[in-house]
Amino acid sequence: MARKNKISAFSVIVGILLGFYVFSILFLFLWALLNSLKTAEEFDFGTLSFPGSLNFNNYIVAFFQGFSKQVASGETMRYVYIEEMFLYSILYAGGGALCQVTATCIAAYLTAKYRNVFSRFMHGVIIITMILPIVGALPSQIQIFDALGLRGSFLGVYVMKFGFTNIYYLIFYGAFRSMPDGYAEAARIDGANHFQVFFRIMLPLVSTLCGVVFLIFFIEYWNDYQTPMIFLDNNPVLAWGLYEFFKSYDQALSTPTVKIAGGIIVLLPLLVLFLVFKKKLMGNLTEGGIKS
């Protein structure tokens, strides 16, 4: 007779809390979606009611009128619209996330697998850097970027994002430490050098983890408008465009339903990205091993 697994009270409480958390997220998304399809009069009548008819005019107004930013182009000024902002968002979020994941993964691998005084020292420095609050560094950072001529270019942003003092360093570090040294030893017996061991053996084993962390960084940078506002002043991203959208005094853009539709437009690429890579990102992080 099969033995039934008992469900603990702790599991029930955690399940209830997670259920409320998921419900709150879905409720906010559905609330925004329904209200983006309403007219201004329907929104004023009630925010929890269903729209009388599907009104996509809010999305049309938001798409064609809401996202625009005037920037300098040499000695003249020009307008940047949603199509160009989308491209800048891809370059900023995708390139920044790739740089951050690459630097974090390499730093974690070196400190986890090369056990010497220097690697232990660097591991300690990274932990201390994550613990200590670093504030007031922005003015000096701007001065350094201006002196190096990196401000206003994507190269400068990529240099800024190529760092590894983040919480995901510990996740990569734990993943590499849990891997037996037999991985590297077997590869070196076959004649692999250090670079081949990392890129052909170790990196594929954490590819799913890299994908998950990349997606997290991509979402973070996609929603970031402050960094592009300071360091990419002539390359406004979608989040910056949405910020300017919400500040607009244009009568056609001032209604809440149009602003909600603008937020949904910025959200849609992230939703599509998650749906496309959902199965791969939800894969088993513990798979792998050396077969005899």
Side-chain angles (χ1 to χ4, degrees):
M1 184 175 178
R3 182 179 179 181
K4 295 183 179 180
N5 295 326
K6 294 183 179 180
I7 301 177
S8 63
F10 177 77
S11 300
V12 174
I13 294 174
V14 172
I16 294 174
L17 293 176
L18 289 176
F20 276 116
Y21 177 71
V22 173
F23 172 78
S24 65
I25 295 177
L26 292 177
F27 174 79
L28 290 176
F29 176 75
L30 292 176
W31 179 90
L33 183 62
L34 289 175
N35 284 283
S36 68
L37 298 172
K38 293 180 179 179
T39 62
E41 293 75 15
E42 289 176 331
F43 183 85
D44 293 335
F45 181 76
T47 60
L48 296 178
S49 60
F50 287 91
S53 60
L54 300 182
N55 177 31
F56 292 97
N57 185 61
N58 295 325
Y59 287 91
I60 296 174
V61 173
F63 187 89
F64 289 103
Q65 302 181 33
F67 295 89
S68 63
K69 173 66 178 174
Q70 192 176 27
V71 299
S73 179
E75 298 180 356
T76 61
M77 303 295 291
R78 69 182 183 91
Y79 278 94
V80 176
Y81 297 101
I82 188 171
E83 299 87 354
E84 195 171 350
M85 289 182 181
F86 179 80
L87 175 61
Y88 293 149
S89 293
I90 292 293
L91 293 175
Y92 172 63
L98 181 62
C99 290
Q100 192 94 62
V101 171
T102 301
T104 305
C105 182
I106 292 176
Y109 172 72
L110 293 176
T111 53
K113 286 303 182 183
Y114 291 85
R115 301 181 182 91
N116 50 53
V117 176
F118 180 74
S119 65
R120 289 194 293 270
F121 172 77
M122 286 302 302
H123 179 69
V125 169
I126 295 172
I127 298 299
I128 293 174
T129 305
M130 287 191 291
I131 295 174
L132 295 179
I134 300 177
V135 296
L138 182 59
S140 59
Q141 191 175 21
I142 293 175
Q143 290 182 345
I144 293 174
F145 271 62
D146 287 338
L148 296 176
L150 295 176
R151 190 177 176 190
S153 68
F154 283 99
L155 176 61
V157 172
Y158 295 158
V159 171
M160 181 197 309
K161 299 301 182 183
F162 198 81
F164 43 81
T165 55
N166 54 75
I167 191 63
Y168 302 105
Y169 163 83
L170 297 177
I171 298 177
F172 278 109
Y173 182 84
F176 286 124
R177 283 298 299 266
S178 65
M179 295 180 186
D181 293 334
Y183 286 97
E185 293 175 358
R188 293 193 181 100
I189 291 175
D190 292 334
N193 56 35
H194 293 280
F195 291 98
Q196 290 173 327
V197 169
F198 175 69
F199 287 104
R200 300 184 63 180
I201 305 298
M202 296 298 183
L203 191 58
L205 293 175
V206 294
S207 59
T208 303
L209 177 58
C210 289
V212 173
V213 177
F214 175 86
L215 180 61
I216 294 173
F217 279 128
F218 187 91
I219 294 173
E220 177 183 348
Y221 298 150
W222 184 271
N223 295 322
D224 179 22
Y225 68 90
Q226 293 180 329
T227 302
M229 189 182 296
I230 298 172
F231 295 97
L232 293 173
D233 47 354
N234 291 329
N235 305 102
V237 297
L238 270 178
W240 186 2
L242 185 64
Y243 172 76
E244 297 291 341
F245 181 2
F246 276 37
K247 292 197 312 177
S248 175
Y249 292 101
D250 191 329
Q251 186 175 2
L253 305 176
S254 60
T255 58
T257 53
V258 175
K259 291 183 178 181
I260 294 173
I264 296 292
I265 290 174
V266 176
L267 172 65
L268 282 178
L270 295 179
L271 185 61
V272 172
L273 180 68
F274 176 78
L275 292 177
V276 170
F277 294 101
K278 179 180 66 174
K279 291 184 179 180
K280 185 173 181 61
L281 295 179
M282 296 301 175
N284 188 359
L285 301 180
T286 61
E287 287 182 353
I290 299 178
K291 295 182 179 179
S292 57

